[in-house]
Amino acid sequence: MKFESRVVHRGDRKRRPGTPVPSTTPIHLSTTYFYDSAATLDRVLGDEQEGFSYARYASPTNAALEELAADLEGGVGALATTSGMVAAQVAFRAALLDRPHSVVASHSIYGATVSLLDDVLGSFGVKVKYVDVCDLAAVEKAVEENRAGCIFIESISNPLLRVAHIDEIARIARAAGASLIVDNTFATPMLMRPLDLGANIVIHSATKYLAGHGDVLGGLAIGDETHAPEIRRLSRIVGPVLGPFESYLTMRGIKTLALRFEKQCRNARCVAEWLRSHPNVDRVYYCSEPDHPDRDAIERMFAPGLFGAILSFEIKNAHKENVLAFMDRLRMVVPGTSLGDVHSLLLYPLIASHRNVSPKMRERMGIRENLVRVAAGIEAPEDIIADLDQALRGV
């Protein structure tokens, strides 16, 4: 099946002789499952037979979502978690279990991931080295000097949309015996599949494009044949599992992912092209730019004709108070802290995604006081442009 069909049909609608097939994913609320035979329960609990016993281990609704996610990303197995940050925690634990507790991470990533690496993992003795992952020589040097057990990157960096050569970084990871974790939230498996490029674990904030309607908080960690069993084993211990209703909503959202994301990508490109000539805009960041510094990687790894649904831009001569006033003038675009919804969202990294990142590190990332990020929705592009225009003209 092609991607557009797999998002609709994978994970549920399983046919069993003499049993009716529900056309939508059933919501199983039970925490506990039992069998006619205690011996069967014994085999299920011992992983000798497929089945369900306790919802912290697995449940039917979650299993359907996890099967779908693994299929879309090309993984061996998946875990649905209570948030994208929980998925990241599980991924790092699985990646570092039998490896040196040292991480080489992209120096341009989501602010909460920086806090996770520095404040949470760092407090348990994990050493973190930040590097420009678009500089392969710098990555190779950092991995060797720091004896990295794990490399972490975003498929499209947040918020400046840099794109590294994932397959080359995967080669560096393999040579060093390190695991490669890729946050694929911005790209989705419709744009690229990092596991196909050699990554070991892919994570998502399912809250974003996968669920897609701003009504679910969730995450996903998808692993290869080595890491998927470790992710599952850890989940049985620490219990980060997503609730069945949220799993149902996420799976329902994924069924329209192909339609939504294609429209959002088209809208983002249209808005980016318009912004380039706006008198109150200094610079636009978007993956379709002819002079994008990672053009080769984009052309080689992205699905044809798609460049993502996120763009960022710098407002000319704007300081914090000017940007806040610009946000207050928006009438349709939502000035919120997320992305991937059906409505367009505008985020100000300085007060939201990168609020807790030090000014020095923000400067190194290239995140300036006048930078905003737009996640295009599915509205008419003319309406998105009109709203941004009237708000910008007051700057």
Side-chain angles (χ1 to χ4, degrees):
M1 285 187 188
K2 293 189 179 295
F3 184 85
E4 296 90 336
S5 300
R6 298 205 320 273
V7 294
V8 174
H9 293 284
R10 295 296 196 214
D12 55 10
R13 298 176 182 165
K14 291 180 172 61
R15 299 177 186 272
R16 297 177 178 86
T19 304
V21 181
S23 63
T24 190
T25 312
I27 303 172
H28 295 264
L29 296 175
S30 180
T31 59
T32 308
Y33 299 82
F34 63 94
Y35 298 84
D36 291 339
S37 163
T40 302
L41 178 61
D42 179 34
R43 290 192 297 274
V44 170
L45 285 167
D47 280 336
E48 299 165 9
Q49 178 178 324
E50 287 189 6
F52 303 100
S53 58
Y54 187 53
R56 193 176 81 233
Y57 302 161
S59 67
T61 312
N62 290 54
L65 170 61
E66 290 162 353
E67 181 181 327
L68 172 60
D71 179 85
L72 296 180
E73 283 287 6
V76 170
L79 174 70
T81 65
T82 51
S83 73
M85 293 308 301
V86 171
Q89 291 182 58
V90 172
F92 281 117
R93 289 177 180 178
L96 295 172
L97 272 176
D98 298 318
R99 295 180 178 87
H101 287 187
S102 174
V103 177
V104 169
S106 169
H107 71 354
S108 181
I109 53 176
Y110 177 43
T113 308
V114 174
S115 297
L116 170 63
L117 288 167
D118 291 348
D119 301 337
V120 180
L121 297 182
S123 68
F124 286 95
V126 175
K127 297 178 181 178
V128 183
K129 173 67 176 178
Y130 294 99
V131 66
D132 179 0
V133 294
C134 295
D135 183 343
L136 293 175
V139 173
E140 198 156 19
K141 181 181 178 182
V143 168
E144 181 180 353
E145 291 181 349
N146 294 274
R147 295 186 63 248
C150 171
I151 303 173
F152 174 79
I153 65 175
E154 295 171 339
S155 55
I156 304 174
S157 75
N158 181 6
L160 295 181
L161 313 180
R162 296 299 305 272
V163 180
H165 290 273
I166 295 175
D167 52 351
E168 290 297 321
I169 295 176
R171 176 188 58 78
I172 293 170
R174 284 194 302 274
S179 296
L180 173 59
I181 302 173
V182 179
D183 185 334
N184 202 31
T185 299
F186 273 26
T188 83
M190 186 170 174
L191 196 60
M192 73 160 74
R193 300 208 313 178
L195 292 173
D196 289 348
L197 298 168
N200 303 109
I201 302 173
V202 167
I203 61 173
H204 283 271
S205 172
T207 308
K208 311 303 193 296
Y209 289 109
L210 300 184
H213 292 78
D215 53 7
V216 177
L217 185 68
L220 284 159
I222 304 103
D224 62 12
E225 60 184 6
T226 300
H227 294 79
E230 291 295 346
I231 290 171
R232 178 59 59 184
R233 187 176 71 84
L234 282 167
S235 77
R236 292 170 68 102
I237 299 169
V238 300
V241 295
L242 190 63
F245 186 64
E246 290 78 9
S247 292
Y248 162 80
L249 285 175
T250 302
M251 196 161 186
R252 186 180 69 167
I254 292 174
K255 290 183 187 300
T256 61
L257 172 62
L259 292 171
R260 289 184 286 104
F261 194 63
E262 183 178 6
K263 170 65 170 172
Q264 289 162 325
C265 288
R266 290 202 309 269
N267 280 356
R269 186 172 187 178
C270 185
V271 173
E273 290 174 351
W274 168 77
L275 281 168
R276 289 190 191 108
S277 60
H278 198 284
N280 289 346
V281 172
D282 258 344
R283 182 175 177 181
V284 178
Y285 300 85
Y286 185 60
C287 289
S288 71
E289 295 172 0
D291 59 348
H292 193 289
D294 309 314
R295 187 72 181 176
D296 289 346
I298 290 168
E299 289 181 348
R300 199 163 57 79
M301 295 189 304
F302 280 21
L306 297 178
F307 296 94
I310 303 287
L311 62 112
S312 297
F313 64 94
E314 294 173 354
I315 303 173
K316 187 173 292 185
N317 301 323
H319 298 288
K320 181 179 177 179
E321 61 271 19
N322 306 118
V323 177
L324 295 178
F326 157 76
M327 294 169 68
D328 286 343
R329 286 192 293 273
L330 293 169
R331 297 168 184 164
M332 186 189 79
V333 176
V334 177
T337 58
S338 191
L339 60 107
D341 291 354
V342 290
H343 50 265
S344 296
L345 283 150
L346 184 139
L347 175 140
Y348 186 21
L350 189 70
I351 68 168
S353 62
H354 292 74
R355 185 186 189 100
N356 295 320
V357 175
S358 70
K360 183 178 180 180
M361 187 167 187
R362 278 202 305 266
E363 183 65 28
R364 189 166 72 244
M365 290 176 168
I367 300 171
R368 300 179 180 87
E369 192 176 2
N370 62 343
L371 180 80
V372 295
R373 189 194 75 195
V374 175
I378 64 171
E379 307 99 335
E382 297 87 353
D383 290 333
I384 303 172
I385 288 170
D387 195 26
L388 291 173
D389 187 40
Q390 63 83 22
L392 279 168
R393 291 196 180 277
V395 175

